[in-house]
Amino acid sequence: MCGIFGCVLTQGNAAPLIHESLKRLEYRGYDSVGITTLENGVLFTKKDQGKIDDVHRILNLDDMPGSIGIGHTRWATHGAPLKVNAHPHVDCGKTIAVVHNGIIENFSELKQELVNRGHVFASKTDTEVVAHLIEQNLKDSPSTGLAEAVREATKRLDGSYAIAVVSSNEPDKIICARNESPLVLGVGENAIYCASDIPAFLPLTNRAVFIKNGELIVLSRSGYEIRKIHDNSVVTREPEVIEWSPEAAVKQGYPHFMVKEIHEQPGTLRNTLRLQDDYLDLISTFLDRATEVFLVACGTSYHACLAASYMFSKLAYLPTYPVYASEFVEQHGKSVNIDSTILAVSQSGETADTLAAVTASQLRAATILGLTNAIGSTLTRVSRVYIGQQSGPEIGVAATKTFTSQLSVMAQLALRLAKKRGKVSQDEMDFIEEKLSKLPSTVETIINTQESKMKQIAHKYKDAKVFFFLGRGVSTATAYEGRLKLMEIAYVPSIAFPAGESKHGPISLIEAGFPVVFVCPKDGSHRTLIGNIMEMKARGASIISVVEEDDEEIKSLSDDYVCVPCGIPEILSPIPFVVPLQMLAYFMALERGYNPDMPRNLAKSVTVK
Ligand code: F6R
């Protein structure tokens, strides 16, 4: 997730305005920044790695000529957060500059094709191919205008993008285009803006035009023209008036970051399906060769590791050991050796306990693999290979979208490993891959259809003194995560166990009305889980279940239930099944009068041991 911005002013300097607008987009990414302006047919570019204020202090981003320009604030996806990878990116002739938010899936093929035609690339980004593609189109058809060259270029792109392009050969316009990544125009009195998000221009104008997938826009001093990319037909769309305050706009109208991030999950899951094959392959190769594999993490990331241990075992027949990072050195420090492989999982890539486990393992010559949401973080620097999960910044302290993305990446690794080891039939593989590709829309359905139900359930149980969360198999991880969310933001003391363990002690707590949440995918342990529900019910517990929508049996045993679509393969089930539990925690926090974005005593990234 990056932020793009562009403006065409009838008078005045664009650079200070772009700089200010990028600051309002910094919540979308902040590892590098860059601006290109245009004056008298010349492009001026300033860019560097680092936060906007730091880069501005050194480069003075306001001191650039011209009343047209584009800017970018980056959340690295392809290529480390270095100056060379900062946007805008230019073509060989340095006449075209491009900013981009999204992921170009086929950039490796396009890059190879362009290199074969003599193009020289400066960065490791996927974005740079766009500048060279446009350049090539203009070379191939010299009479083509910039807009047409951009249109032709976008037809070659697979993946997601919102781009803004300027050229010194047509210095009076910006061309933008969108597929999946957000893009919105701001229509001012004497200016027109394009941006990833409304907050970028909200202090300047509240008149916005939302751009749809497959549209290309020409911004000029006479206004904006929208066309469809596929047939170049003109689209007429008037601006809408936005009533949001600047604060609400940053949250896109949601009251809290947490609920915004819960709602972002269809998009962030889609991003995980666009990860670079090479890295997934490499990590699964390391796992395949490993003698022993430790999955090391804290908190929510640990729950992703716990779920992953079931995925690796069930799909690829690889035993792995999920370990709390804070316990790792005590528990396994002495036994780690050159044959050990550590897959460290940390959305921030900076959690002290996780890094300490990694450092201790490195000293014993273990192989370190990483999964993180922060490219450029310490974890990416100490890992032999890492995967960036591409969820964009998570601002709510409680991890939500980063958790489901970690699960999706782990499932993909398990699938690759299973393929390598020949452990799963092609039919089963195809089935799981198909369901994985549909998960973004499955999660979207859950959010759209179950949110109000979860709100009602939270209202009903708002005064409960304690909650129980139970699941079997991989759903144990889902239950643990549901408990952690509820405890950390709604301050409800909660307990979670594998359902089978509950009768070995915890069941003694149960008395009339005690809320017990069951995670109930229709997997191999469904029948046994029903037995566990009966045990709790017989002792007066109030049963709240997350069930598949055709699961009439568990519905009939439940006091309350929420549904997820049917037919999710067992190993993928934590992804959809955790979403209602995230919503439960969110609404419970609201019911109990707490701000879910700022739970007491907690920090987003825990950098002390
Ligand atoms: C819970 C939560 C924490 C983190 C934990 C690890 O909602 O966010 O439990 O999961 O502090 O953080 P990372 O993944 O950054 O290492």
Side-chain angles (χ1 to χ4, degrees), residues 298-301 345-349 351 354 397-399 406 481 484-485 488 604 606:
C298 301
T300 291
S301 296
V345 180
S346 169
Q347 83 80 22
S348 64
T351 298
T354 308
V397 165
Q406 286 167 345
E481 178 59 8
L484 179 61
K485 290 287 92 96
E488 70 177 328
K604 184 68 188 159
V606 184

Side-chain angles (χ1 to χ4, degrees), residues 277-304:
D277 274 347
D278 296 354
Y279 293 104
L280 289 167
D281 262 347
L282 206 51
I283 293 206
S284 58
T285 303
F286 273 112
L287 294 176
D288 191 25
R289 292 185 185 162
T291 310
E292 59 181 5
V293 178
F294 295 102
L295 308 173
V296 179
C298 301
T300 291
S301 296
Y302 168 78
H303 297 150

